[in-house]
Amino acid sequence: MSSRPQPLTEDAAAADSPGVRYFNREISWLGFNRRVMEEACNTAHPLLERLRFLSISGSNLDEFFMVRVAGLKGQQMQEVEAHSADGLTPAQQLAAIVEDAGELVDSQQAVWNDIRDELNGRGIETLDADAITGSVADWIEAHFEAQIFPVLTPQALDPAHPFPFIPNKGLSVIFDLVRQSDGEPIRELVLLPASTPRFVRVPGETARYVPLETLLKRFAPSLFPGYEIRSAATFRVLRDSDIEIEEEAEDLVLYFRSAIKRRRRGRVIRLEMEDGIQPELEAVLKEELGGSEAILTETGGFLGIGDLAQIVEEDRPDLKFPPYAPRFPERVREFGGDCFAAIKAKDIVVHHPYESFEVVIAFLKQAASDPDVVAIKQTLYRAGKQSAVIQALIAAAEAGKSVTAVVELKARFDEEQNLLWASALERAGVQVIYGFTTWKTHAKVSMVVRREGDEFRTYCHFGTGNYHPVTARIYTDLSFFTADPRVGRDAAKIFNYVTGYVEPADLELLTVSPRHLRDKLVALVDGEIANALAGKPAAIWAKMNSLVDPAMIEKLYEASNAGVEIDLIVRGICCLRPGVPGMSDHIRVKSVVGRFLEHSRIWAFGNGKPLPNDGAGVYISSADWMPRNFDRRVEYMLPIENPTVHDQILDQVMVANLIDTEQSWELESDGRYIRDDPGAKPFNLHRYFMTNPSLSGRGAALTTSEAVPKLSLRRWRAERGG
């Protein structure tokens, strides 16, 4: 399957229509989420992993409505007629979203039905009301009376009992009842407690799961004695969950504490109702929950696909990916676990999740305990709920070191957790900085200043991902460690920029947004254009999560027209239209979706030679190519100069992404994504890195063991006839 094709005009080269030059951002995102859902149909994955992909697609879609659709609805209600890059008004985008999202929801339900049938055959059953019989029924009844009934609060809906507040993602059942004594009709509502798991698991060797709403309907007579149950329907709401920074918000901490509370009561954006709901009950929900403004969905199956994640946790290793234990970099082991000695000897890149995030933790823990370390500075965007990074910073502060933490309060959906971390850090004596009022500090940087003899040396870590131990096990990212004095000086200037608004002048290696990152990228693309016009080889490889920025897209079109060969690996949103004669015929775009989530940002420029080559310019970054990353976020871009690190990133990571066939989708000029044909020689980039060691982290092992298998893009294309 694919997102809805977007037709081209007959003369695309001459057309200036935005709809021809760009794909719509929102529809492109829905296409990405469809690719995630498609992995639930991929029989190469174990069954519970397929269910995990389906649940992720459900959670993703919820967030899309809570943030992106909420924003468009706000523009529509305020009659804002701002057009998207592809020329659509908010109303036109919402209409397209309703159609595409409706098709996606229908597909999710169909996939769930198929997976459910397969799970039933493998000893994991999800029971309907009719299937609850015998001893299962007896246990369910006892469990309901003891564990569920006490926490339920039925509420009548009448003039004396106004319609209750339904929280974001709240799941409820509305009942149409008749009092048996006098025939008086009444409606009741029961909100399923958020603290109660969505499914009840029946004890036994066979895993039997019963949705909570099924139990509620089954035992409605116990809830409403003396009433006839005429009908009942499940419904769910999604609310506006975005937080906008007001210009007058001077105290960010106070602002976010109140904004988080407001978000829980945001405007209803989406109302999901059980298929076949009685018209009278539907009318009540529409009236009480802002149905005239909310996007309405009737679903013929399971509401809240994201909640299926509970079933994924069933202890069935035979239905999951084989466990994978990340490697610890051998170079650090060669130095007895001394991170500083290893980094001082040579720059190191660590490729997560194939190599352990523990090396980042070890770096910070060593800094906290080393008596020669005098200062630590750290950015924190998303750190998770169980963060060894936070504990290391607290330990360092308690040991008397100068510790500065830049805590980003505007990390969406992590604001509350970050406020808690900020309080804990401050109590330990860490200097906590919240950065800019309107810009997010998205750069992932850690620097450690250490006294060595009569000098101070700065050790730095730059990540393409977050300091988050959970996501580091499933996101593919790069961690770069260096003791290069130039990088240390630049890193110090970045921190001074965020903490004290001191403009970072005369940076030696780093480029920072929102100051010069866009200009630097444009200059690099211009360099490849000049090479092409001079008759030299010209090539660009770029890997990112999203490509949205119209100006950068236009620059890539210009490069394509000059003859620059451009290969883009864009996991999620891509607004660039590839393969259009006279506009983008030298641009190829692919998306990789598999066991791990591709998250690293890597850019390579040929410098007058075909890629890959030893002289190519290779950069890592925290930024995607979106207006927000260039104009409203603090991001970094760092050139990779160490030969071993350079070769690993270019010849291994980038080439592996380009030649992957088992997890890749090719973007067509009409907007469709076509899954790659694995061919006679399939290649799975995640399996490759799980089974082959990296170059940079091997140290002396490179000379005492077999060489790392080399990848060749040219050979791969020749073998495939490309």
Side-chain angles (χ1 to χ4, degrees):
M1 301 180 193
S2 60
S3 60
R4 185 191 317 114
Q6 302 183 37
L8 295 169
T9 61
E10 292 184 1
D11 186 8
D16 292 326
S17 167
V20 170
R21 302 189 74 80
Y22 312 116
F23 294 125
N24 180 264
R25 168 185 170 145
E26 318 306 340
I27 300 303
S28 179
W29 184 92
L30 285 169
F32 159 66
N33 203 39
R34 180 172 287 276
R35 295 194 296 280
V36 173
M37 186 207 66
E38 285 281 350
E39 290 305 303
C41 307
N42 187 346
T43 55
H45 298 317
L47 190 53
L48 283 177
E49 299 296 348
R50 290 167 54 193
L51 184 62
R52 191 192 307 275
F53 279 112
L54 180 62
S55 71
I56 290 171
S57 77
S59 298
N60 285 351
L61 190 61
D62 284 351
E63 184 174 331
F64 176 73
F65 272 91
M66 289 153 52
V67 177
R68 298 299 305 175
V69 176
L72 288 171
K73 287 294 292 184
Q75 291 181 35
Q76 184 186 44
M77 292 172 62
Q78 296 173 26
E79 298 182 350
V80 174
E81 288 300 309
H83 289 67
S84 59
D86 60 318
L88 300 183
T89 65
Q92 290 171 325
Q93 292 181 79
L94 286 168
I97 288 169
V98 168
E99 182 179 348
D100 263 32
E103 294 174 0
L104 179 60
V105 168
D106 290 343
S107 298
Q108 288 174 331
Q109 295 298 328
V111 172
W112 164 231
N113 289 335
D114 291 342
I115 291 179
R116 178 179 174 178
D117 289 344
E118 291 188 56
L119 286 170
N120 286 344
R122 302 297 296 274
I124 302 177
E125 301 175 3
T126 305
L127 303 182
D128 291 326
D130 295 341
I132 302 174
T133 59
S135 60
V136 171
D138 294 339
W139 184 91
I140 284 288
E141 183 174 4
H143 178 82
F144 179 84
E145 291 179 356
Q147 303 294 328
I148 299 175
F149 181 85
V151 299
L152 298 178
T153 306
Q155 179 169 335
L157 302 179
D158 61 22
H161 301 85
F163 198 92
F165 175 76
I166 309 296
N168 187 33
K169 298 185 183 180
L171 189 73
S172 306
V173 180
I174 186 170
F175 293 89
D176 190 12
L177 311 173
V178 174
R179 192 157 51 214
Q180 293 172 340
S181 61
D182 57 10
E184 183 72 18
I186 190 170
R187 296 193 176 99
E188 297 264 0
L189 185 144
V190 180
L191 176 64
L192 276 63
S195 59
T196 304
R198 178 70 183 276
F199 292 93
V200 172
R201 189 193 188 282
V202 181
E205 187 172 335
T206 297
R208 295 184 177 92
Y209 288 89
V210 185
L212 201 55
E213 63 272 24
T214 299
L215 295 185
L216 212 58
K217 293 176 184 178
R218 179 182 178 89
F219 296 108
S222 298
L223 275 173
F224 307 110
Y227 285 87
E228 175 191 345
I229 315 298
R230 294 203 299 192
S231 67
T234 308
F235 69 95
R236 183 171 181 263
V237 299
L238 295 178
R239 295 182 177 273
D240 183 345
S241 297
D242 203 10
I243 293 179
E244 294 183 4
I245 300 297
E246 300 173 359
E247 291 183 4
E248 64 271 20
E250 296 179 0
D251 189 323
L252 281 180
V253 175
L254 290 176
Y255 176 82
F256 272 94
R257 290 192 192 283
S258 60
I260 289 167
K261 294 177 182 177
R262 292 197 305 273
R263 178 164 69 186
R264 295 181 181 131
R265 303 185 65 89
R267 182 178 68 253
V268 174
I269 296 300
R270 188 180 186 202
L271 171 59
E272 301 172 338
M273 297 171 289
E274 181 180 335
D275 190 27
I277 183 174
Q278 293 296 317
E280 297 82 2
L281 296 182
E282 181 177 352
V284 170
L285 296 180
K286 286 182 178 180
E287 180 180 355
E288 298 291 347
L289 294 171
S292 60
E293 299 173 358
I295 294 174
L296 308 178
T297 304
E298 279 196 42
T299 302
F302 184 78
L303 298 185
I305 287 289
D307 291 341
L308 294 172
Q310 182 184 340
I311 299 176
V312 176
E313 299 310 310
E314 179 68 25
D315 186 18
R316 286 290 299 273
D318 58 313
L319 300 181
K320 297 182 180 180
F321 288 130
Y324 178 71
R327 303 179 294 270
F328 195 88
E330 292 167 274
R331 172 167 291 278
V332 178
R333 292 191 189 280
E334 288 176 6
F335 286 86
D338 186 338
C339 295
F340 297 143
I343 297 166
K344 184 177 179 180
K346 187 186 78 67
D347 294 348
I348 302 172
V349 68
V350 179
H351 193 190
H352 309 302
Y354 315 106
E355 294 176 291
S356 176
F357 186 74
E358 285 302 311
V359 69
V360 180
I361 305 300
F363 172 73
L364 290 171
K365 284 184 175 179
Q366 183 177 344
S369 61
D370 188 335
D372 291 324
V373 167
V374 296
I376 302 173
K377 297 185 180 183
Q378 173 84 47
T379 63
L380 293 169
Y381 189 71
R382 301 188 196 277
K385 293 185 177 181
Q386 302 294 329
S387 180
V389 172
I390 300 292
Q391 299 307 320
L393 296 178
I394 289 174
E398 291 176 343
K401 304 181 191 308
S402 172
V403 182
T404 302
V406 178
V407 179
E408 181 49 70
L409 295 183
K410 297 179 287 296
R412 183 177 289 137
F413 299 119
D414 273 8
E415 302 97 340
E416 192 166 8
Q417 183 61 57
N418 285 359
L419 281 169
L420 294 174
W421 284 137
S423 296
L425 290 166
E426 286 184 325
R427 287 195 300 269
V430 174
Q431 182 181 5
V432 175
I433 305 295
Y434 298 107
F436 297 94
T437 303
T438 55
W439 298 344
K440 288 185 181 180
T441 302
H442 192 249
K444 285 75 176 183
V445 186
S446 178
M447 61 177 284
V448 174
V449 181
R450 186 172 186 266
R451 183 186 296 106
E452 297 182 358
D454 296 331
E455 299 178 345
F456 288 100
R457 184 182 295 273
T458 300
Y459 295 84
C460 293
H461 169 267
F462 289 83
T464 63
N466 301 308
Y467 292 99
H468 194 305
V470 175
T471 60
R473 292 197 293 267
I474 55 176
Y475 287 19
T476 71
D477 272 305
L478 299 179
S479 279
F480 178 70
F481 293 94
T482 183
D484 187 324
R486 298 172 297 170
V487 177
R489 289 190 289 268
D490 285 354
K493 292 178 181 178
I494 290 179
F495 278 102
N496 291 344
Y497 185 37
V498 177
T499 62
Y501 304 154
V502 179
E503 295 283 338
D506 302 320
L507 292 175
E508 298 173 68
L509 287 180
L510 285 167
T511 306
V512 180
S513 68
R515 286 175 54 79
H516 302 306
L517 183 52
R518 181 192 294 276
D519 294 341
K520 177 66 174 180
L521 273 173
V522 168
L524 289 168
V525 177
D526 281 339
E528 295 305 309
I529 292 173
N531 288 333
L533 295 177
K536 299 178 182 179
I540 297 171
W541 292 356
K543 180 178 182 297
M544 64 196 77
N545 299 311
S546 299
L547 172 55
V548 174
D549 188 76
M552 281 306 304
I553 291 173
E554 289 297 328
K555 179 57 64 173
L556 292 174
Y557 287 159
E558 180 186 346
S560 174
N561 287 332
V564 180
E565 295 296 331
I566 302 172
D567 285 277
L568 304 176
I569 305 149
V570 185
R571 187 198 76 230
I573 304 168
C574 182
C575 296
L576 178 146
R577 192 187 289 269
V580 178
M583 184 175 83
S584 57
D585 39 356
H586 291 280
I587 304 178
R588 294 160 293 277
V589 179
K590 71 182 302 187
S591 171
V592 177
V593 181
R595 174 171 180 172
F596 302 118
L597 185 140
E598 287 296 329
H599 193 255
S600 56
R601 291 93 167 188
I602 306 168
W603 313 326
F605 300 86
N607 287 337
K609 298 179 182 178
L611 283 169
N613 69 80
D614 294 340
V618 175
Y619 302 82
I620 63 171
S621 179
S622 59
D624 290 313
W625 290 6
M626 305 176 74
R628 69 186 189 190
N629 300 98
F630 293 139
D631 304 327
R632 301 188 300 278
R633 289 188 174 189
V634 178
E635 310 271 14
Y636 79 86
M637 169 182 174
L638 175 66
I640 300 299
E641 296 184 344
N642 178 273
T644 309
V645 176
H646 180 285
D647 289 350
Q648 177 179 345
I649 294 175
L650 187 61
D651 293 355
Q652 277 194 313
V653 178
M654 288 297 280
V655 172
N657 273 270
L658 288 169
I659 70 175
D660 175 90
T661 58
E662 292 193 2
Q663 304 170 125
S664 294
W665 299 73
E666 304 292 333
L667 176 57
E668 302 294 300
S669 59
D670 62 2
R672 293 176 300 144
Y673 278 86
I674 306 298
R675 188 188 285 275
D676 267 1
D677 177 6
K681 293 185 176 181
F683 183 85
N684 184 306
L685 81 97
H686 294 163
R687 189 180 307 123
Y688 170 81
F689 286 117
M690 290 169 69
T691 54
N692 288 288
S694 67
L695 286 168
S696 175
R698 298 218 70 203
L702 275 175
T703 61
T704 59
S705 63
E706 294 183 5
V708 177
K710 289 289 185 179
L711 301 174
S712 171
L713 180 66
R714 296 187 189 90
R715 183 175 66 245
W716 175 81
R717 283 182 169 161
E719 290 173 348
R720 292 174 63 90

